Amino acid sequence: MHVPDGFIDAPTSAVTGVVAAGALAVSLRGARRELDERTAPLAGLVAAFIFAVQMLNFPVAAGTSGHLLGGALAAILVGPYTGVLCVSVVLLMQGVLFADGGLTALGVNITDMAIVTTVVSYAVFRGLLAVLPRGRRSVTAASFVAALVSVPAAAVAFTLIYAVGGTTDVAIGKVATAMIGVHVLIGMGEAAITALTVGAVIAVRPDLVHGARGIRQRLQLRVNGALVDAPAPTAPVAARTSRRTLWITGLVTSLVLAGFVSFYASADPDGLEKVAHDKGIDKKAGKHAASDSPLADYGVKDVSDARLSGGLAGVIGVGVTVVAGSAVFWAVRRRRTADASPASTLNTGV
């Protein structure tokens, strides 16, 4: 789904850049309300995890692969505003360091992969939670459906952007049919990864999952053949896993996925690449501005061993993303604290 340079004309790319900039400004303000001292470190980790899992292309059809987009996962774990920032950090790192996704198309990619996926998935997620029984299983099930819907939604968004500013003369109906069809299949993989990840985190630290706030799994007892809610505990239940342990486990998992497992990912083109080649959308694709980067195409320059080269690139990518993401989210959190201090002082004086 990473749109290269040359697929979309300059005026449309500029407009999507303005849209993306506006959405990022709104997200920075919204993230202040979502992030605190507990969730800010998790947000940086989520960005690194999305980067790592995006390297794991999985086969979806003959000659076609797919990978995680991550909008639904980020929105449910750390909130929709922070989710937009998480995916945007990943896209920026990929475009600048790894020549993945055009730099002139960065606005297109943020609009499509960060904004659309996050907004659509979180709306579906919240809508489902409003009608499902309140419990952790409902959160996991809603995560699956929300992620599934978000991927074809991104395909629709790309199709609309292409209809406005595509640089090649291809019937929009053919583009829509091909894009939506293959991305429904990719959405199944996205849904499985999202639900498994959300389920794993909610099992050990439900208090850190933004989408699970307010959800309490009450213990039920069978009394005279009927299930009744057990009395609420008088003291809070201790978390199964500390935040530090969760963070370290998540980081190690991301490093292993990007540094080792990625070598076994599918080498087939992803959904957009396949459609672009088959339909002729890529006729005017340009050379990436960062094609001479020492990490271009997810390999380390001058390292001849393919496995070592890709593994090192993946590890470097995870490291850079977690550092960049953590810096952004800690800065947002500090801004929230700074904004709250004058109000607190004023209230104390009154």
Side-chain angles (χ1 to χ4, degrees):
M1 188 66 78
H2 294 77
V3 179
D5 295 321
F7 277 28
I8 307 298
D9 63 26
T12 306
S13 296
V15 170
T16 57
V18 172
V19 171
L24 291 176
V26 172
S27 296
L28 284 169
R29 294 183 63 87
R32 295 181 199 172
R33 300 190 297 271
E34 294 174 345
L35 294 172
D36 55 32
E37 68 281 356
R38 298 180 308 153
T39 56
L42 180 62
L45 178 61
V46 168
F49 182 77
I50 290 173
F51 175 91
V53 180
Q54 283 197 3
M55 293 183 67
L56 308 181
N57 281 46
F58 48 85
V60 295
T64 308
S65 69
H67 62 72
L68 183 82
L69 299 186
L73 178 62
I76 295 165
L77 287 180
V78 293
Y81 295 108
T82 309
V84 170
L85 298 178
C86 281
V87 181
S88 297
V89 167
V90 173
L91 293 172
L92 182 61
M93 295 299 102
Q94 290 170 332
V96 172
L97 298 179
F98 297 91
D100 188 10
L103 296 184
T104 62
L106 186 59
V108 175
N109 285 320
I110 290 177
T111 300
D112 193 23
M113 294 178 64
I115 301 171
V116 171
T117 59
T118 301
V119 171
V120 170
S121 63
Y122 200 70
V124 172
F125 176 78
R126 279 300 172 193
L128 289 173
L129 285 189
V131 298
L132 291 173
R134 296 178 64 81
R136 297 177 187 175
R137 291 183 180 179
S138 295
V139 174
T140 303
S143 301
F144 184 95
V145 178
L148 174 62
V149 174
S150 70
V151 178
V156 171
F158 169 79
T159 303
L160 294 175
I161 293 172
Y162 178 81
V164 174
T167 56
T168 54
D169 186 16
V170 180
I172 195 62
K174 293 182 178 179
V175 176
T177 300
M179 283 292 294
I180 297 171
V182 71
H183 283 90
V184 168
L185 299 176
I186 295 173
M188 295 297 294
E190 177 104 10
I193 295 170
T194 300
L196 287 171
T197 305
V198 171
V201 177
I202 206 173
V204 294
R205 288 302 300 261
D207 58 309
L208 296 181
V209 178
H210 180 89
R213 291 180 179 177
I215 300 294
R216 294 292 183 268
Q217 190 76 19
R218 294 295 298 275
L219 175 65
Q220 291 189 314
L221 302 175
R222 187 172 296 277
V223 179
N224 295 328
L227 288 175
V228 297
D229 289 338
T234 56
V237 179
R240 297 183 185 180
T241 303
S242 69
R243 278 180 285 156
R244 176 177 296 181
T245 300
L246 178 64
W247 196 91
I248 293 174
T249 301
L251 180 60
V252 170
T253 300
S254 300
L255 291 171
V256 170
L257 291 175
F260 177 73
V261 180
S262 62
F263 182 78
Y264 301 98
S266 173
D268 291 331
D270 67 21
L272 176 59
E273 292 172 330
K274 179 67 172 176
V275 172
H277 177 73
D278 291 347
K279 304 300 179 183
I281 298 175
D282 59 356
K283 291 179 179 178
K284 295 186 179 181
K287 181 181 179 181
H288 199 287
S291 59
D292 294 329
S293 165
L295 298 173
D297 298 322
Y298 298 94
V300 177
K301 189 176 182 181
D302 297 329
V303 176
S304 57
D305 184 274
R307 179 174 298 186
L308 179 60
S309 177
L312 286 174
V315 168
I316 293 170
V318 168
V320 171
T321 304
V322 75
V323 170
S326 297
V328 170
F329 299 124
W330 274 111
V332 172
R333 175 184 171 270
R334 287 174 62 86
R335 181 65 181 271
R336 170 187 174 179
T337 304
D339 290 345
S341 296
S344 301
T345 304
L346 180 61
N347 290 337
T348 303
V350 175

